Structure formats: structure tokens, C-alpha cells
Amino acid sequence: MPNEPLEAIKHNLCALGLNGTASSFYLERVLMNLNGWTSYAAKRDYEAKLDNLESTIVLEVLTVLTSWELCTFLALRNKSLTEKQKVTVTNFKNIEASKIYSDEIQKKIILQEALNFSVQRKKIAKFNFKTKNTDEVIPSEIQAVFCIDVRSEIYRRNLEQTNSSIQTLGFAGFLGFPVNFFGMGKQTSKVQIPALLIPKLNVIERIKNNTQNNKILHKFQLEKEILNLWKTFKSGSISCFVFVSPLGITLYQ
């Protein structure tokens, strides 16, 4: 089997008798069998792409999965399993040859897209509409800041209409701050903005006085080690059986 992931996948598909579009349906099915891990791998690849780094975790996971399927098939191959494998390959090829959507569904999809574009043009026209500027500036007696949200927008609009001296402002609170936050004694950061964005700044929590800062860091590290030891004692394959006897009751008193 080739060492390169992509070449290994091609080798596995060829050995299983899959090619063309049929192989795409098969690979998608293999990934969906392990949806949680493959989604996490895709997330790691996406984060690397945002940092202009190369990552092929999904490809490597797919290599492992297809290799496992091929090895399992070869190890357990018999007449019955071979027949089932041929039927499966035929089904994948039939998907390739047949239409995924009927003519009626395709027409409805086209009409739906046309309707979407029509509504989009009307919305754009409303946004591009320019109102006449008035020289008179009415000072606001009340200012209220709302998080930008479809629910609060309705409230803001109606609130401003009740009195011309009321002004509302919108703030993208859900975006958070463009920083990586390192808590006291933490080695990993917590991103304060949505996953689609990359924070450019690092904020490290610490105390200005170095002596006090080092004492607290030492305390945090000691507590972390104690918690790890406690978890090991509580969840260990042997110690978990004796955990309840001496300590189980005292924990809930």
C-alpha cells in the first residue's frame, strides 16, 4: 500500500472495484459512518487554512477508514461476502448513472432559486434607497444600545417611533473580542470570537506584582496536579473499585 494518503485511497478504491462518481458516494458514506471525528478533523483543517497552513487531517482519516474497510473485506472474504460486495458496487454505479433528482424536482429548484433572486433584488433596492438629508439635528435625550439581533431590531424600530428624542444603537455583541484569552495558569487559550474568524491579539491574565503572580501560578499548578491525581484514583481500572468503599460516603456528607 502506498505511503501517501491520496495514493493509498486510490489503491483502496481500485481494490474495492470503485471508480468515477461512484467512489465519491462511497467515500462520503465512509466519512458519515464516523461523523463526529471527521467533522472534528474538518474543523482542524479549516482552522489551519485560516492561518495559511497546510493540513490534511480529513484525507488522512479517510485513508485509515478505507484501509480498514479493505483489510476487513480481504480478511473475511468468502463467497457470500464477495457477492454482497459486488451488489454494493453495482448500487453505487447505478446512483452514478441515474438522476439524483427527478425532472419535476429540478424544475421546482430552478423556480425556487428564481424566487430567491427576485426577493434579493427587492431587498437590495430598499437598502440602496437614499433619503433626503435634513440639516436639523434633534438632540437625543435617551440612548439605548442593543445587541444586533432580528428580535431586538423590531423593538428598536418601534421604540424610536414613540419619541424622536430616543436614539438606539446596535452592537455586535455576539462577535465578542478579537483576542485569544489565556487564563491565569492556563497553557491553552480560549478564543473570544466566532470560529470563522481568527483573533490577532493574545491577552494573558496575570498579576502585576511578579511575586504574587508566581505564588498564584504555583497554587494553580498544585491544584491541577491534585485534581489529576484524584481523577486517576477515581477512574483508574483498579483503584475505582476501592474508591467507593473508603471515600464514597464521605464525599456526599
Side-chain angles (χ1 to χ4, degrees), residues 19-79:
N19 52 55
T21 310
S23 61
S24 299
F25 290 111
Y26 166 74
L27 294 176
E28 181 181 3
R29 195 270 298 170
V30 170
L31 289 174
M32 292 303 294
N33 283 346
L34 206 63
N35 188 32
W37 283 108
T38 53
S39 298
Y40 175 73
K43 175 179 178 291
R44 294 287 301 274
D45 284 349
Y46 179 79
E47 291 175 344
K49 184 179 180 181
L50 292 177
D51 291 330
N52 295 321
L53 300 175
E54 185 178 354
S55 180
T56 58
I57 300 178
V58 172
L59 190 64
E60 294 168 7
V61 171
L62 192 56
T63 304
V64 174
L65 295 177
T66 55
S67 300
W68 172 258
E69 291 222 342
L70 177 59
C71 291
T72 303
F73 172 71
L74 295 177
L76 302 177
R77 182 168 51 182
N78 53 44
K79 185 177 180 180

Side-chain angles (χ1 to χ4, degrees), residues 4-252:
E4 293 297 325
L6 187 58
E7 294 300 322
I9 293 174
K10 291 180 180 179
H11 170 270
N12 297 338
L13 292 175
C14 182
L16 291 170
L18 292 164
N19 52 55
T21 310
S23 61
S24 299
F25 290 111
Y26 166 74
L27 294 176
E28 181 181 3
R29 195 270 298 170
V30 170
L31 289 174
M32 292 303 294
N33 283 346
L34 206 63
N35 188 32
W37 283 108
T38 53
S39 298
Y40 175 73
K43 175 179 178 291
R44 294 287 301 274
D45 284 349
Y46 179 79
E47 291 175 344
K49 184 179 180 181
L50 292 177
D51 291 330
N52 295 321
L53 300 175
E54 185 178 354
S55 180
T56 58
I57 300 178
V58 172
L59 190 64
E60 294 168 7
V61 171
L62 192 56
T63 304
V64 174
L65 295 177
T66 55
S67 300
W68 172 258
E69 291 222 342
L70 177 59
C71 291
T72 303
F73 172 71
L74 295 177
L76 302 177
R77 182 168 51 182
N78 53 44
K79 185 177 180 180
S80 175
L81 186 60
T82 302
E83 290 298 325
K84 291 181 180 179
Q85 188 262 349
K86 290 181 180 179
V87 172
T88 302
V89 172
T90 303
N91 291 336
F92 279 122
K93 291 182 178 179
N94 289 338
I95 296 175
E96 178 183 6
S98 63
K99 292 183 178 179
I100 300 177
Y101 300 113
S102 64
D103 292 337
E104 183 180 357
I105 296 296
Q106 289 181 1
K107 290 178 182 178
K108 289 184 178 180
I109 291 175
I110 294 173
L111 290 174
Q112 182 64 50
E113 289 185 350
L115 177 61
N116 292 342
F117 284 124
S118 175
V119 174
Q120 187 181 45
R121 286 194 296 269
K122 293 178 182 179
K123 295 292 183 182
I124 293 174
K126 289 183 179 180
F127 281 116
N128 291 336
F129 179 74
K130 295 182 179 180
T131 58
K132 294 182 179 180
N133 295 326
T134 57
D135 296 330
E136 184 182 2
V137 179
I138 302 176
S140 58
E141 297 180 3
I142 299 175
Q143 276 190 341
V145 181
F146 293 81
C147 179
I148 298 174
D149 186 271
V150 292
R151 296 162 295 182
S152 62
E153 292 301 316
I154 299 174
Y155 186 83
R156 289 177 58 189
R157 181 172 64 251
N158 287 277
L159 180 62
E160 289 181 339
Q161 289 177 353
T162 60
N163 193 319
S164 59
S165 64
I166 297 178
Q167 180 187 23
T168 65
L169 303 173
F171 176 74
F174 54 86
L175 290 178
F177 296 94
V179 298
N180 276 320
F181 178 71
F182 291 83
M184 178 70 74
K186 301 292 184 181
Q187 300 297 324
T188 57
S189 64
K190 185 177 181 181
V191 179
Q192 302 297 305
I193 55 177
L196 297 178
L197 304 175
I198 303 177
K200 300 297 183 181
L201 302 174
N202 293 327
V203 175
I204 303 174
E205 184 181 21
R206 59 165 291 130
I207 297 176
K208 189 174 182 179
N209 185 287
N210 290 330
T211 302
Q212 292 182 351
N213 186 75
N214 293 334
K215 286 183 178 179
I216 293 179
L217 283 177
H218 178 71
K219 180 182 177 181
F220 282 171
Q221 292 172 356
L222 183 61
E223 289 178 352
K224 183 178 180 181
E225 291 177 2
I226 293 174
L227 287 175
N228 288 336
L229 290 173
W230 182 260
K231 183 178 180 181
T232 302
F233 174 61
K234 183 178 179 180
S235 306
S237 58
I238 298 177
S239 58
C240 64
F241 293 102
V242 298
F243 174 81
V244 178
S245 178
L247 299 175
I249 298 178
T250 60
L251 291 177
Y252 299 99

